[in-house]
Amino acid sequence: MNKSVVKSSSMPIVEMAKIAIVTSLYVVITAMLAVISFGAIQLRLSEMLNYLALYHKRYVYAVTLGVVIVNFMSPTWALDVPIGGVSTFLVLILCRAVTKNMENEIMKIAITAVIFAFSMFTVAGQLTLMLDLPFFHTWLIVGLGELLSMTIGGIVIYFLSKKIDLSR
């Protein structure tokens, strides 16, 4: 059989497998730590997977799908599934665009962490609407939790990227 035929036909399967693995990791990590993954005070350690989108666009889809699936566990799932999914997708695209031409990997990670922490106004809005929590206080608390999650995750992904080529 022609090698080019085998190679081209196996690429979509490899891509889908990588997407499925990252999606699954996001869901499992968030679900296992559900007690700290949802609500007004949250530390979603699975957010470290957001950084993978900086290395390859396939992970934009993988993380977004993971968010959509696991947000069905959220107490505010009716808003969290669509808003969380769309927000994650748009913020991942924004982070890729903002950091695209940056050479310094640590700066890319830092900027991505700040953008994601700022984007937590969407979560605060949902919690305000569904649970009658104060918006700005909730945004601050959820944003700080996101910044902490992203900082921990940034360190993990940074050192992982030194051992594994995450762009492949």
Side-chain angles (χ1 to χ4, degrees):
M1 183 174 242
N2 186 337
K3 282 186 178 182
S4 64
V5 171
V6 172
K7 194 172 192 177
S8 66
S9 65
S10 66
M11 279 305 282
I13 293 169
V14 170
E15 291 296 303
M16 288 189 324
K18 289 176 181 179
I19 290 169
I21 289 167
V22 171
T23 299
S24 300
L25 282 171
Y26 192 98
V27 171
V28 168
I29 293 167
T30 306
M32 283 180 50
L33 301 172
V35 70
I36 61 170
S37 296
F38 301 101
I41 299 174
Q42 53 182 268
L43 189 66
R44 202 178 264 203
L45 295 177
S46 53
E47 288 290 281
M48 78 173 70
L49 299 172
N50 290 333
Y51 292 114
L52 295 178
L54 301 178
Y55 297 93
H56 198 287
K57 66 183 175 185
R58 81 171 73 85
Y59 299 121
V60 170
Y61 306 109
V63 173
T64 300
L65 186 57
V67 168
V68 167
I69 292 168
V70 82
N71 279 358
F72 277 102
M73 292 180 62
S74 171
T76 60
W77 69 269
L79 288 178
D80 212 5
V81 170
I83 293 172
V86 170
S87 176
T88 297
F89 181 76
L90 294 175
V91 174
L92 288 170
I93 296 293
L94 175 65
C95 290
R96 280 183 56 85
V98 168
T99 63
K100 183 179 182 176
N101 296 317
M102 292 183 180
E103 295 293 324
N104 187 323
E105 191 173 358
I106 293 172
M107 187 59 74
K108 288 172 110 171
I109 287 171
I111 288 171
T112 298
V114 170
I115 291 171
F116 263 95
F118 181 80
S119 78
M120 291 297 107
F121 68 87
T122 59
V123 175
Q126 292 170 58
L127 294 171
T128 298
L129 288 171
M130 301 284 286
L131 304 178
D132 201 32
L133 296 174
F135 176 78
F136 287 106
H137 181 262
T138 305
W139 186 15
L140 175 67
I141 298 301
V142 175
L144 287 173
E146 181 72 2
L147 189 60
L148 180 58
S149 296
M150 293 293 288
T151 300
I152 293 166
I155 293 166
V156 170
I157 294 296
Y158 175 78
F159 285 109
L160 188 62
S161 74
K162 299 302 170 200
K163 301 287 184 189
I164 301 170
D165 183 359
L166 298 173
S167 66
R168 296 185 53 157

